[in-house]
Amino acid sequence: MDFPIDPRIDLNRLPAHVGIIMDGNGRWAMKRFFPRIAGHREGVNAVDRVVSHASRMGVKALTLYSFSLENWSRPRDEVNALMEILAEFLERELSRILDEGIRFNAIGHIEDLPLFAQEWVGRAMTETSDREGMVLTLALSYSSRREIADAAQALAREAMAGKISPDEIEEEDIARNLYTSNLPELDLLIRTSGELRLSNYLLWQAAYAELYFTDLYWPDFGEREFENAILAFQSRVRKFGLTDDQITSKKV
Ligand code: IPE
Ligand code: IPE
Ligand code: MG
């Protein structure tokens, strides 16, 4: 049965784009004397719960930090297991993603992934490309600083080709060269497991995002906690540099 949506949530004021740093799989497993990989496997169930619930609520874009560029330095067995879990997830969930009208997307250096994983990522993107519901983006082999450096390279090439002048480079030029150029502004960024840092995730995009931290380990995260994050978002006043008076007069 579908998890009922909390009536306190104002569905007309949802964050358009939610990012999640899904952290704490290892600690979830260690607490139970399981191998770390068991935590990653359990984490996939939390992904299922949150993807379905966010899509049902009407969130436009959900971007999940699934594997960082830095994560390649983990023990080889763990990296291999994570790649297998990713491919299994896409293989198993693709039909459900299609049924729910979700468009699958991936950002990061996908070409770093083993071929079998790249193939599933490509297939999921192609098969869901005409879907018009929520955009589910997995950040894979992702580094925000790398993304900004890639944008700088692209702009330098445009300048060399005489398409833009270096003196006229604006914030929008950087934004349109980021991997997220087709996604709405990031409104809400969630991190689980009690860590209070961004770990090289969506640094540019998070400039004015609301941040939500929870002590829950990712495998324990679900619909209820996702709703708590949305409720927290809706209770905040986003000021974008203005004064409280300015914000109040804007509303009326
Ligand atoms: C997040 O959980 C998943 C990935 C980084 C792939 P962790 O594996 O980082 O879990 P902890 O932080 O060690 O508990
Ligand atoms: C961030 O978690 C990366 C993902 C969730 C995929 P990490 O566990 O790798 O981050 P740090 O090392 O604690 O900063
Ligand atoms: Mg971690």
Side-chain angles (χ1 to χ4, degrees), residues 23-24 27 36 74 191 193 195:
D23 198 12
R27 277 163 285 166
R36 291 177 53 84
R74 290 191 177 195
R191 181 169 191 149
S193 89
E195 306 296 346

Side-chain angles (χ1 to χ4, degrees), residues 3-11 53 224 227-228 231:
F3 192 95
I5 297 171
D6 189 323
R8 290 173 302 165
I9 292 179
D10 179 352
L11 295 176
H53 203 55
R224 174 67 64 227
E227 292 194 336
N228 286 341
L231 285 167

Side-chain angles (χ1 to χ4, degrees), residues 21 25 54 87 117 189:
I21 302 173
N25 293 352
L189 180 57

Side-chain angles (χ1 to χ4, degrees), residues 4-50:
I5 297 171
D6 189 323
R8 290 173 302 165
I9 292 179
D10 179 352
L11 295 176
N12 297 313
R13 278 198 321 117
L14 288 175
H17 184 181
V18 180
I20 309 186
I21 302 173
M22 310 184 289
D23 198 12
N25 293 352
R27 277 163 285 166
W28 181 93
M30 298 314 279
K31 208 173 90 181
R32 291 165 175 75
F33 305 101
F34 293 163
R36 291 177 53 84
I37 291 165
H40 297 312
R41 291 206 172 280
E42 191 60 32
V44 176
N45 296 328
V47 172
D48 286 346
R49 291 192 290 272
V50 171

